[in-house]
Amino acid sequence: MELKKVEEGVIPIYENETRERLINARELHKELNNKRQFSNWIKQRVDKYKFLINKDFIRFNNFVKGDKNGF
């Protein structure tokens, strides 16, 4: 999926190929200065507001390779 940044503000707004406007939940979480672990925070939001995958949000698996100490 190709995303293009279309607005700068508190958090950036992106558009996909079909011109749907999207935000990045990790960027929102960071801007809110939320102290909870992102994975727990987003799972609770999805459950509370009954978001539907591929309708209200899309999921990306970003695997980050740590250093030799696992960080």
Side-chain angles (χ1 to χ4, degrees), residues 2-68:
E2 185 71 27
L3 297 178
K4 176 176 76 172
K5 191 182 296 187
V6 294
E7 284 184 37
E8 285 287 344
V10 176
I11 57 170
I13 298 175
Y14 303 91
E15 274 186 1
N16 64 10
E17 302 89 8
T18 60
R19 301 192 61 154
E20 292 175 295
R21 291 186 159 229
L22 311 163
I23 65 163
N24 181 316
R26 288 188 183 276
E27 293 172 344
L28 176 62
H29 179 262
K30 181 179 178 183
E31 185 61 35
L32 291 171
N33 294 316
N34 196 298
K35 303 300 180 205
R36 295 184 61 207
Q37 182 179 4
F38 174 78
S39 62
N40 294 329
W41 176 80
I42 195 63
K43 285 176 192 173
Q44 186 181 34
R45 301 275 82 68
V46 168
D47 291 343
K48 180 176 182 178
Y49 298 107
K50 300 182 182 356
F51 293 144
L52 302 173
I53 192 163
N54 296 324
K55 181 171 190 246
D56 299 311
F57 70 97
I58 54 177
R59 187 171 163 188
F60 290 93
N61 290 323
N62 292 331
F63 297 101
V64 179
K65 184 176 180 179
D67 64 17
K68 65 181 180 181

